[in-house]
Amino acid sequence: MSTDRTRPAGRRDQSGPRSAPSGPRSASSGPRSVPPQRSRRLQPHRPQRPHQWFAERLLAVLSGQRPVHWMLGHTIGEAYDQLAELAPSTPLRATHGSRPVLRHCRGAQPATGVVEAFASIAAGERVRAMAFRLEQGADQRWRCAAVELGGERLTAGAPGPR
């Protein structure tokens, strides 16, 4: 077994790590190296929070991009029935060729193991609201327990909801 610590375990070839050139190369010194790509993110990657993860998936179901049964293992109680009732009408479907996107998603934790979240979803000029509740089970998995949609369009001059 080799004592070379620069080679990853299991690597069998004899080439070691390549070093980057220290200065500009002349045309006669060989092929030019490609500069390393810069990261597009300025901040380190943070994993999505449970309410953001669920908001993306609920949007996919309610916009018709995914079938309702895609959420079967991720819902409890009446949430699946609520999704099954809402999904056929695809309330968050694309309008005038613009695909719906998640604009904002925020969550609050009123009790341990519970997150109540809201999201705003935009499709073109239209913005809709979605609220949902997540509950953490004994297996530490988050599941959606309730879903509600809002954002009915009000017409100019018409009285608002009372």
Side-chain angles (χ1 to χ4, degrees):
M1 183 157 163
S2 173
T3 58
D4 185 5
R5 295 182 184 265
T6 61
R7 186 177 7 260
R11 187 168 172 178
R12 297 184 190 275
D13 65 351
Q14 295 301 314
S15 63
R18 293 184 180 21
S19 61
S22 59
R25 295 180 154 227
S26 65
S28 62
S29 65
R32 296 185 77 168
S33 66
V34 177
Q37 291 183 344
R38 291 187 178 184
S39 174
R40 291 183 183 177
R41 295 180 183 203
L42 298 177
Q43 299 175 354
H45 175 69
R46 292 185 328 186
Q48 281 188 323
R49 294 183 175 170
H51 60 276
Q52 295 167 326
W53 189 87
F54 272 90
E56 290 285 349
R57 274 133 189 90
L58 290 169
L59 172 60
V61 169
L62 296 172
S63 64
Q65 298 172 32
R66 293 284 186 168
V68 176
H69 67 267
W70 189 56
M71 291 294 291
L72 195 56
H74 302 290
T75 57
I76 57 174
E78 295 181 16
Y80 185 78
D81 296 333
Q82 291 169 335
L83 281 174
E85 186 178 315
L86 289 169
S89 65
T90 58
L92 300 177
R93 68 185 166 276
T95 57
H96 305 293
S98 59
R99 184 175 173 182
V101 293
L102 186 65
R103 286 180 32 172
H104 300 285
C105 183
R106 303 283 188 265
Q109 193 166 8
T112 303
V114 174
V115 173
E116 292 181 347
F118 66 92
S120 63
I121 294 143
E125 300 271 329
R126 189 173 187 189
V127 177
R128 298 284 307 262
M130 177 174 60
F132 54 99
R133 179 182 173 98
L134 303 177
E135 295 179 3
Q136 193 172 29
D139 60 356
Q140 300 301 306
R141 290 181 58 203
W142 290 96
R143 291 180 179 86
C144 185
V147 180
E148 290 187 20
L149 289 178
E152 292 303 316
R153 185 180 285 181
L154 298 176
T155 58
R162 295 183 189 218

